[in-house]
Amino acid sequence: MIPIIDLAAQYRELKTEMDAAIARVFESSQFVLGKETAALEEEFAAYCNVPHAIGVNSGTSALHLALLAAGVGPGHEVITVPFTFFATAATVGYVGATPVYVDIDPATFNMDVSQIEAAITEKTRAIMPVHLYGLPADMRPILDIARRHNLIVIEDVAQAVGAEYQGQPAGSIGDIGCFSFYPTKNLGAAGEGGMVTTSNPEYARTIRSLRSWGEERRYYAVLKGYNYRLQGIQAAILRVKLSRLDAWTKTRCALAAEYDRLLKNADVVCPSTLPGARHVYCLYTIRAAHRDALQRDLELAGIQTAVHYPTPIHLMPAYADERYKAGDFPAAEACAQTVLSLPLHAHMSYEQVAEVSDRVLQLAGKKSHETVLTGR
Ligand SMILES: Cc1ncc(COP(=O)(O)O)c(C=O)c1O
């Protein structure tokens, strides 16, 4: 079986350091926040080239607190995409605001920036681009539009730690960046975790307070806050992994380039990147016309794949909204039918990439003139 990800291999590489890091936390007994979290925040802020990083207990909490700090609340609208993980849209709902969707560009799977201005109303407060699969959204036009309309930009960087856009780290480009350390992410905890980054000291102060009951000092709340604190053990583990992140990203990019090369003639569309962007391939996601059959056949051949994501948010019962119906976001809906994430992780071999590619070529066939899907 070729797994889509191999977290045990990652642990084997780091076992000595990870075990020592966990022991450090037991010795200090600082299980919640504590000095490991403070140290991770400092190292992560430096990594993202921002003055402030605040550790939280998930990417979802990061998005929730970012929206609160930005003053987004009932009656406001937030422009985002329907082709994403639930949390992007769900957290807009947590603060009582309404997500307003724009379609994606099927070549990059990210927000189609040409559709943003038409979605702006007097209620719009923020734009929340998602850097899906590890590729930054086209941030320059997003920032231009946001500045012109006085909107806050919250980057959903859950899948894109280490990515860059025109030389700037993802998470440092908009007003606030929100990261997830879910175990399958490029920088994954041994459980849940997240981080908020910002250059705005006011946002940083509010988020720091809100993540721990809105405390200004011990047992004295000035804001109605949450229990969204990062655990010391997670921070200690993340510090070890952060020291390897750039090396792992390099390997991911090299393996992705190998997939691109080997799948050039297969009847699938390989992921594109954006000029001036560094894609970090949290996922290597192709498009295939007969996706479900391909996925089934690959599974029979011992190759694990996944679909991120089979249903756009506006078509899920939980997030149904009378303003939206099937057909409203054709690119998102088409991608939901055709995307397939292939195995890719930093501990994978070139032989495994070759084996997966051979199977895809065999099962999807070669490109022909009748190919329906086109890359760009
Ligand atoms: C795009 C995106 N946003 C937000 C999240 C939420 O992060 P978490 O699972 O850490 O709460 C995820 C995690 O899967 C994600 O992929």
Side-chain angles (χ1 to χ4, degrees), residues 251-264:
T251 306
R252 280 178 180 278
C253 291
L255 294 170
E258 185 69 353
Y259 267 134
D260 287 347
R261 189 178 72 81
L262 295 172
L263 292 175
K264 204 167 56 225

Side-chain angles (χ1 to χ4, degrees), residues 22-35 232:
I22 293 165
R24 251 187 354 251
V25 177
F26 275 95
E27 289 299 338
S28 74
S29 298
Q30 294 184 354
F31 294 112
V32 179
L33 296 177
K35 58 188 178 196

Side-chain angles (χ1 to χ4, degrees), residues 77-110:
E77 292 176 351
V78 176
I79 296 175
T80 189
V81 285
F83 192 62
T84 180
F85 184 70
F86 317 100
T88 318
T91 48
V92 175
Y94 290 0
V95 301
T98 306
V100 170
Y101 303 117
V102 297
D103 208 351
I104 56 163
D105 175 342
T108 62
F109 303 112
N110 282 329

Side-chain angles (χ1 to χ4, degrees), residues 11 14-26 236-237 240:
Y11 176 57
L14 301 175
K15 188 172 180 344
T16 313
E17 282 167 82
M18 294 250 268
D19 292 352
I22 293 165
R24 251 187 354 251
V25 177
F26 275 95
I237 287 168
V240 176

Side-chain angles (χ1 to χ4, degrees), residues 34-287:
K35 58 188 178 196
E36 292 293 334
T37 298
L40 174 69
E41 288 175 342
E42 204 169 297
E43 289 157 13
F44 198 81
Y47 185 81
C48 293
N49 199 21
V50 288
H52 309 283
I54 305 110
V56 291
N57 63 350
S58 72
T60 304
S61 302
L63 289 166
H64 186 189
L65 296 188
L67 287 158
L68 287 171
V72 180
H76 293 147
E77 292 176 351
V78 176
I79 296 175
T80 189
V81 285
F83 192 62
T84 180
F85 184 70
F86 317 100
T88 318
T91 48
V92 175
Y94 290 0
V95 301
T98 306
V100 170
Y101 303 117
V102 297
D103 208 351
I104 56 163
D105 175 342
T108 62
F109 303 112
N110 282 329
M111 186 175 272
D112 179 347
V113 295
S114 71
Q115 300 190 19
I116 298 173
E117 293 221 75
I120 295 175
T121 71
E122 73 274 8
K123 295 181 185 163
T124 310
R125 184 75 188 214
I127 307 177
M128 206 193 256
V130 182
H131 305 320
L132 204 71
Y133 305 152
L135 175 66
D138 196 2
M139 293 302 290
R140 192 54 50 207
I142 292 174
L143 291 179
D144 287 347
I145 294 167
R147 297 300 166 247
R148 254 186 287 121
H149 295 269
N150 202 20
L151 305 174
I152 294 148
V153 177
I154 299 173
E155 294 174 71
D156 183 339
V157 205
Q159 300 186 8
V161 63
E164 284 180 13
Y165 177 87
Q166 297 180 358
Q168 274 182 276
S172 74
I173 308 163
D175 298 289
I176 311 181
C178 299
F179 294 81
S180 165
F181 301 137
Y182 188 76
T184 55
K185 301 293 195 264
N186 284 17
L187 180 62
E192 308 272 0
M195 188 72 76
V196 186
T197 50
T198 184
S199 297
N200 182 316
E202 204 48 53
Y203 292 157
R205 204 178 8 254
T206 305
I207 291 164
R208 207 169 272 287
S209 168
L210 285 175
R211 77 165 166 188
S212 185
W213 294 113
E215 283 178 323
E216 188 185 64
R217 54 180 193 271
R218 197 85 172 124
Y219 301 131
Y220 184 78
V222 291
L223 295 170
K224 283 193 174 128
Y226 300 83
N227 177 359
Y228 280 177
R229 295 173 296 228
L230 183 64
Q231 296 181 345
I233 284 182
Q234 302 305 344
I237 287 168
L238 289 163
R239 289 182 70 201
V240 176
K241 292 197 187 181
L242 183 60
S243 72
R244 302 301 203 286
L245 185 59
D246 278 337
W248 287 345
T249 301
K250 251 195 202 151
T251 306
R252 280 178 180 278
C253 291
L255 294 170
E258 185 69 353
Y259 267 134
D260 287 347
R261 189 178 72 81
L262 295 172
L263 292 175
K264 204 167 56 225
N265 298 321
D267 193 12
V268 298
V269 181
C270 291
S272 330
T273 181
L274 202 64
R278 181 201 202 197
H279 194 324
V280 291
Y281 297 99
C282 182
L283 294 163
Y284 186 90
T285 303
I286 60 169
R287 283 182 287 152

